[in-house]
Amino acid sequence: MPYEEDEDEEPRACAVCGDQAKGYHFNALTCEGCKGFFRRAIKRSTQLRCPYMKKCIITKNNRRSCQACRFRKCQDIGMRKDMVMSEEEVMKRRTRIKQKKMYIASTQLSSQQEQTIEELLSAHHSTFDPVFSRFSGFRPMDRSVSPVSEYSQSASEPFNEPTCPENTCTSASKHGSDLTAASYAGFSSSSSSSCSFHHEEDEVKNCVFSALPHVTDLTTYMIKDVISFSKSLQEFRSLTIGDQISLLKGATFEIMQIRFNMVFNSETSNWECGHITYCIDDAVRAGFQPLLLEPLFKLHHTLRKLDLLEEEYVLIQAMSLFSPDRPGVQNHSLIDKVHEYLALTLKTWIDCKRTGPEKHLLFPKVIACFTEMRTMTEEYSKQILQIQDIQPDTISPLIMEVVSKSPCSDF
Amino acid sequence: MPYEEDEDEEPRACAVCGDQAKGYHFNALTCEGCKGFFRRAIKRSTQLRCPYMKKCIITKNNRRSCQACRFRKCQDIGMRKDMVMSEEEVMKRRTRIKQKKMYIASTQLSSQQEQTIEELLSAHHSTFDPVFSRFSGFRPMDRSVSPVSEYSQSASEPFNEPTCPENTCTSASKHGSDLTAASYAGFSSSSSSSCSFHHEEDEVKNCVFSALPHVTDLTTYMIKDVISFSKSLQEFRSLTIGDQISLLKGATFEIMQIRFNMVFNSETSNWECGHITYCIDDAVRAGFQPLLLEPLFKLHHTLRKLDLLEEEYVLIQAMSLFSPDRPGVQNHSLIDKVHEYLALTLKTWIDCKRTGPEKHLLFPKVIACFTEMRTMTEEYSKQILQIQDIQPDTISPLIMEVVSKSPCSDF
DNA sequence: CGCCGTTCACGGTGTTCA
DNA sequence: TGAACACCGTGAACGGCG
Ligand SMILES: [Zn+2]
Ligand SMILES: [Zn+2]
Ligand SMILES: [Zn+2]
Ligand SMILES: [Zn+2]
């Protein structure tokens, strides 16, 4: 009857120092300390020298005072060097584990990623107003002016635009499909028709900027919400003020367009912003030129056709915001990490939640849209500055702030 | 029930002087002061003598008054001499740490270095206008004069230069390749052909300086931007005004050339400055002589062939600016530190970001270009002064300021 | 569950500089 | 001189694998 067995349940002692040992390490019963010490000693492979008489008695308390004697004791009691993994073995193990992690990470969303999406959705819902109910007090838009719309040049009746004095852009919605089809086909057809507008300088004066005050108010309204969205993100707030400004300057236009895309109706080519419906001609009437509007219009169609879910839209907004290569960013590496994290989250989300064969193309297509938007951001700034030049004091200070290159600001 | 335990959570007192102790040092619980004192006492290894009765009571307040008794107390309470690292151990440690630092520094960019590059890029982008869109209001350039171009002497038809009154230097771009090949081959072939221009004094008068007003305007425009670039750098602003001026006087020519090199087309040997394209003959027509233009032309080819990235160009500009051995610099040591820091940053950047076998030669080649440029700076000043002598009041005051030797200025 | 490697806060060296 | 700092060995806790 061996009732005698425990005495301390597991009273085994380290063969090197006498400390409590929980198991065998490198072929000897040792404590955690001696285990780590032996591995490090092997990997360092440097000669150790005893400052005393090479006869140190190793105990739990003095084991740190003489590495040489401790190592000798390790070998004496039978710890085996060959049981320490070699450098290549370690490398193999590491890469194998990394691979596995990568696979897991691209197969299922981590709880952190799900939490991130939740935060983004929450931030988005509290700062985006899809029916534009808070958009009021704006200056009215005069749609009686029929712009020389470059988008209807290739259409059959370019000068037959009816006036649309109401809040709904009836012109676009009436024969909008024709116009869209014609212009949209034109965009993707050839480069010859894509820039048939080669008299910019003179034509600019024909534009009466009749929609500029309204578009300015709308844009200002949108920018405020974009800033609120960004500021309600934990990661964003943790950046320096300077970097926050740099990121906002770079991303505001893009995020605005992403948000407009959520209310874009690709059938009618209209943006259905609650009680007001906009068409591309409103942008023309605000003074923007085809060099921006053509690719922008195309982008909205391309992006809308992806039929993104809200989670995807909001991840795209965040990816745009955390673009590391905006002018003036200081903490490039951190922002790059966040950006990659968001991109991986989007990719994984698509892989997990989407079905169908086109899901593998969705992520690359989104990335392509980013490239498009990037060039448009620059062109937008240019055109805003041009408009500001011709029509001073119409564009709001907030818009100028976004467009300006000055590093200092106070959003 | 040992409720008596904390008293202040960590109220441990130095065993030597009673001051607050935060841990064990040399085998005894001591304060930071006694720790340092004991090490220094061991390393000095000189006998200490008590001026009193060898019975001093060491306290926190009087511990500095008797070294001998303090040291004796240290030994008495158990501080161990053998736990102070010996001189050789210290030396080994020092060299090991230095080695490691050197390795790390030459292997990966520190965050500070990355930030520096960001600052330089930002400063560059806001002060360099690669398409020369802000260059306007300049005096026109008369290219109808066909200079006795030394660069086409070895070519077959030296006097057949067509006129090029337009903004594009058609002569160089038309049969530019021939001209370039001939002249460039001439440079690198032998010393006999490299200075076939041995009638300087007389020939100078043949030159009509037809391009001088334009080149003056261009140079003035460039200098202003170089000054803006420098002034937007934190490190530069922190220097004294005198040193800022000394550095600018020394570096302006070099930085200008580096910037011109970014738009240099080595295929056509033209500088493509936005709407205007320049060739080397324009410099001839401005009155510059081969003693400057030959090595300058060669430099532009050499430098361009390195195919530098923007980050590298901007680091080179900064290295040129922070050259410690410019005439008149006061704070030589600080500027030297900045210069070495920038050089190491460039070297590390190349090691990290470049690939291919030629990356190891890139940095030395850049350094060689600096040597070349240094001699050209002096020659440039000389020739500007010569031209000023012949054609007074054409060269702008700003250029004269850069070239002058007077120590006082106000950029 | 046993035994690998990994991680990271902690403790105790030397170093710096006001 | 000593407070603050940089550096590195240590070992308890942990994750992965068989
Ligand atoms: Zn042990
Ligand atoms: Zn020993
Ligand atoms: Zn003390
Ligand atoms: Zn004494």
Side-chain angles (χ1 to χ4, degrees):
Chain A
M1 267 181 300
Y3 61 90
E4 181 56 55
E5 185 210 45
D6 52 288
E7 169 116 8
D8 205 355
E9 192 57 50
E10 288 284 349
R12 298 178 298 179
C14 171
V16 177
C17 70
D19 195 4
Q20 187 177 118
K22 285 180 195 150
Y24 283 81
H25 299 292
F26 310 110
N27 199 42
L29 189 65
T30 70
C31 65
E32 284 295 309
C34 292
K35 161 196 161 189
F37 171 77
F38 185 71
R39 189 191 319 103
R40 283 191 296 267
I42 293 295
K43 306 211 85 162
R44 268 192 314 237
S45 73
T46 53
Q47 278 293 340
L48 301 169
R49 280 234 321 267
C50 173
Y52 310 108
M53 333 292 278
K54 290 176 118 180
K55 304 238 159 130
C56 305
I57 309 295
I58 308 298
T59 69
K60 169 176 158 56
N61 292 320
N62 75 357
R63 65 189 177 197
R64 260 174 260 92
S65 59
C66 180
Q67 293 182 320
C69 291
R70 187 184 190 182
F71 183 62
R72 192 166 38 75
K73 182 81 178 283
C74 283
Q75 292 178 307
D76 288 350
I77 58 107
M79 291 183 83
R80 280 168 50 183
K81 168 179 178 170
D82 57 285
M83 292 188 71
V84 177
M85 287 170 76
S86 72
E87 197 55 41
E88 21 188 350
E89 285 175 307
V90 169
M91 285 303 292
K92 271 196 177 164
R93 193 184 107 110
R94 267 202 278 254
T95 52
R96 200 180 56 221
I97 291 175
K98 271 263 169 68
Q99 293 270 333
K100 188 154 189 169
K101 267 198 176 160
M102 293 290 291
Y103 178 74
I104 296 282
S106 67
T107 306
Q108 51 194 356
L109 289 165
S110 71
S111 63
Q112 191 196 353
Q113 287 173 315
E114 286 179 345
Q115 196 178 323
T116 301
I117 293 173
E118 281 306 319
E119 189 196 3
L120 290 175
L121 280 178
S122 162
H124 185 246
H125 290 150
S126 61
T127 60
F128 181 58
D129 169 20
V131 294
F132 289 69
S133 58
R134 297 191 328 272
F135 180 46
S136 57
F138 46 82
R139 286 166 286 180
M141 176 166 45
D142 179 11
R143 275 180 172 142
S144 62
V145 182
S146 181
V148 184
S149 170
E150 290 69 35
Y151 303 96
S152 43
Q153 276 193 347
S154 54
S156 51
E157 303 169 20
F159 297 107
N160 264 357
E161 298 274 338
T163 61
C164 33
E166 295 305 320
N167 273 342
T168 300
C169 182
T170 51
S171 81
S173 56
K174 217 169 71 180
H175 58 83
S177 56
D178 291 344
L179 190 129
T180 307
S183 56
Y184 192 51
F187 290 139
S188 52
S189 61
S190 71
S191 59
S192 64
S193 70
S194 74
C195 194
S196 56
F197 187 77
H198 44 259
H199 31 247
E200 300 177 11
E201 300 296 327
D202 317 83
E203 212 80 323
V204 158
K205 296 179 196 95
N206 284 351
C207 178
V208 293
F209 299 103
S210 59
L212 181 57
H214 181 86
V215 169
T216 292
D217 291 341
L218 174 64
T219 305
T220 307
Y221 171 77
M222 292 293 284
I223 292 176
K224 281 179 184 164
D225 280 355
V226 169
I227 293 171
S228 297
F229 168 73
S230 306
K231 290 235 166 189
S232 62
L233 300 180
Q234 178 57 40
E235 282 282 7
F236 186 79
R237 282 199 306 272
S238 73
L239 298 172
T240 66
I241 300 296
D243 277 352
Q244 290 185 23
I245 292 166
S246 299
L247 293 190
L248 271 173
K249 275 174 184 285
T252 298
F253 170 77
E254 296 179 9
I255 299 178
M256 253 183 354
Q257 296 310 320
I258 295 165
R259 289 178 161 213
F260 276 128
N261 193 251
M262 296 185 198
V263 298
F264 184 64
N265 184 331
S266 63
E267 303 283 325
T268 61
S269 294
N270 286 340
W271 289 268
E272 295 165 355
C273 300
H275 49 295
I276 316 183
T277 297
Y278 298 97
C279 61
I280 190 71
D281 281 338
D282 294 331
V284 176
R285 275 185 286 260
F288 293 101
Q289 295 168 41
L291 194 57
L292 170 66
L293 295 184
E294 282 197 11
L296 182 62
F297 196 60
K298 182 176 174 182
L299 174 84
H300 274 283
H301 273 101
T302 307
L303 197 54
R304 193 63 204 157
K305 220 159 58 179
L306 301 182
D307 207 22
L308 299 177
L309 301 171
E310 196 173 37
E311 286 86 350
E312 292 155 353
Y313 268 120
V314 82
L315 277 168
I316 291 170
Q317 287 185 69
M319 281 174 67
S320 169
L321 182 62
F322 289 96
S323 295
D325 46 352
R326 303 290 188 192
V329 295
Q330 300 290 319
N331 199 340
H332 184 284
S333 59
L334 173 62
I335 294 164
D336 194 52
K337 266 194 177 171
V338 176
H339 189 261
E340 282 199 31
Y341 167 73
L342 292 167
L344 180 61
T345 302
L346 175 59
K347 187 163 161 37
T348 308
W349 165 277
I350 291 171
D351 285 341
C352 291
K353 310 283 173 169
R354 287 282 184 157
T355 55
E358 68 280 347
K359 79 170 185 178
H360 295 297
L361 286 171
L362 190 53
F363 185 71
K365 281 180 179 172
V366 169
I367 299 301
C369 286
F370 273 112
T371 313
E372 291 292 323
M373 280 196 289
R374 180 61 59 101
T375 60
M376 278 179 250
T377 297
E378 292 172 29
E379 184 58 29
Y380 178 72
S381 298
K382 266 194 211 167
Q383 297 201 6
I384 286 286
L385 292 173
Q386 275 179 22
I387 293 169
Q388 161 78 5
D389 225 35
I390 304 168
Q391 297 271 316
D393 304 328
T394 308
I395 293 174
S396 74
L398 188 57
I399 298 176
M400 290 311 293
E401 191 65 57
V402 168
V403 158
S404 75
K405 282 183 179 156
S406 69
C408 173
S409 169
D410 47 359
F411 284 114
Chain B
M1 258 156 349
Y3 60 89
E4 181 56 56
E5 186 209 43
D6 52 289
E7 168 112 12
D8 204 355
E9 193 55 51
E10 288 285 349
R12 299 178 300 176
C14 171
V16 177
C17 72
D19 196 3
Q20 188 177 116
K22 283 178 195 153
Y24 283 81
H25 300 292
F26 309 110
N27 200 40
L29 190 64
T30 70
C31 66
E32 285 293 311
C34 294
K35 160 197 164 191
F37 169 78
F38 185 72
R39 186 191 310 102
R40 283 192 294 267
I42 293 296
K43 307 210 85 162
R44 273 194 311 249
S45 72
T46 54
Q47 277 296 339
L48 300 169
R49 283 247 309 278
C50 175
Y52 310 109
M53 336 288 281
K54 291 175 115 179
K55 303 237 160 132
C56 305
I57 309 295
I58 307 298
T59 69
K60 170 176 159 55
N61 293 319
N62 75 356
R63 66 191 178 199
R64 260 174 261 91
S65 58
C66 178
Q67 293 185 324
C69 290
R70 188 184 191 182
F71 183 61
R72 191 166 39 75
K73 181 81 179 281
C74 283
Q75 291 178 308
D76 289 349
I77 58 108
M79 291 183 83
R80 281 165 51 182
K81 167 180 178 170
D82 54 279
M83 293 189 73
V84 177
M85 285 171 78
S86 71
E87 198 54 41
E88 29 185 348
E89 283 175 307
V90 169
M91 284 304 293
K92 269 197 177 163
R93 196 182 101 109
R94 267 202 278 255
T95 53
R96 198 185 57 221
I97 289 175
K98 272 266 168 66
Q99 293 272 334
K100 187 157 191 170
K101 261 196 178 165
M102 293 292 290
Y103 178 74
I104 295 284
S106 66
T107 305
Q108 51 193 347
L109 289 165
S110 71
S111 63
Q112 191 196 353
Q113 287 172 316
E114 285 180 344
Q115 199 175 322
T116 301
I117 292 174
E118 280 305 321
E119 190 196 3
L120 290 176
L121 280 179
S122 167
H124 184 248
H125 289 150
S126 60
T127 61
F128 181 58
D129 168 20
V131 294
F132 289 70
S133 58
R134 297 192 327 271
F135 180 46
S136 57
F138 46 82
R139 286 166 286 180
M141 177 167 42
D142 180 9
R143 276 182 172 142
S144 62
V145 182
S146 181
V148 185
S149 171
E150 290 69 34
Y151 304 96
S152 44
Q153 276 194 346
S154 53
S156 50
E157 304 170 19
F159 296 106
N160 263 358
E161 297 275 339
T163 62
C164 34
E166 294 304 321
N167 273 342
T168 300
C169 182
T170 50
S171 81
S173 55
K174 215 170 70 181
H175 57 85
S177 55
D178 293 343
L179 190 129
T180 307
S183 56
Y184 192 50
F187 289 140
S188 52
S189 61
S190 71
S191 59
S192 65
S193 71
S194 74
C195 194
S196 57
F197 187 76
H198 43 261
H199 33 247
E200 299 178 15
E201 299 297 327
D202 318 83
E203 212 80 320
V204 157
K205 296 179 196 91
N206 284 351
C207 178
V208 294
F209 298 103
S210 59
L212 182 57
H214 181 87
V215 169
T216 292
D217 291 342
L218 175 64
T219 305
T220 307
Y221 171 77
M222 292 292 286
I223 292 176
K224 280 179 185 165
D225 280 355
V226 169
I227 293 171
S228 297
F229 168 74
S230 308
K231 291 235 167 189
S232 61
L233 300 179
Q234 178 58 40
E235 281 283 6
F236 186 79
R237 282 199 306 272
S238 73
L239 298 173
T240 65
I241 300 296
D243 277 353
Q244 291 186 23
I245 291 165
S246 299
L247 293 189
L248 271 174
K249 274 174 182 287
T252 298
F253 170 77
E254 297 180 8
I255 299 178
M256 253 183 356
Q257 295 310 319
I258 295 165
R259 288 178 162 214
F260 275 128
N261 193 251
M262 296 184 199
V263 298
F264 184 63
N265 184 333
S266 62
E267 303 281 325
T268 61
S269 294
N270 286 340
W271 288 269
E272 294 166 355
C273 301
H275 48 295
I276 316 183
T277 297
Y278 299 97
C279 62
I280 190 71
D281 281 338
D282 295 330
V284 176
R285 275 186 286 260
F288 292 103
Q289 295 168 43
L291 194 57
L292 170 67
L293 296 185
E294 282 198 10
L296 183 62
F297 195 60
K298 183 176 175 183
L299 173 84
H300 274 282
H301 272 102
T302 308
L303 197 54
R304 192 64 203 157
K305 220 159 57 179
L306 300 183
D307 207 21
L308 298 177
L309 300 171
E310 195 173 38
E311 286 87 350
E312 292 155 354
Y313 268 119
V314 81
L315 277 168
I316 291 170
Q317 288 185 74
M319 282 174 67
S320 169
L321 181 63
F322 289 97
S323 295
D325 46 351
R326 303 289 188 194
V329 295
Q330 300 290 321
N331 199 340
H332 185 283
S333 61
L334 174 61
I335 293 162
D336 194 52
K337 264 193 177 172
V338 176
H339 188 261
E340 282 198 32
Y341 167 74
L342 291 168
L344 180 61
T345 302
L346 175 60
K347 186 164 161 39
T348 308
W349 165 277
I350 290 171
D351 284 341
C352 291
K353 309 282 172 168
R354 288 282 185 158
T355 55
E358 68 278 13
K359 79 170 186 179
H360 296 297
L361 287 171
L362 190 53
F363 184 71
K365 282 180 178 171
V366 169
I367 299 301
C369 286
F370 272 112
T371 314
E372 292 292 323
M373 281 196 288
R374 181 61 59 101
T375 60
M376 279 179 249
T377 297
E378 290 171 31
E379 184 58 30
Y380 177 72
S381 297
K382 267 193 211 166
Q383 297 200 7
I384 285 286
L385 292 172
Q386 275 180 24
I387 293 168
Q388 161 77 4
D389 224 36
I390 304 169
Q391 297 271 317
D393 304 328
T394 308
I395 294 174
S396 75
L398 188 56
I399 298 177
M400 290 311 294
E401 193 65 55
V402 168
V403 158
S404 75
K405 284 184 179 155
S406 69
C408 173
S409 169
D410 46 0
F411 285 113

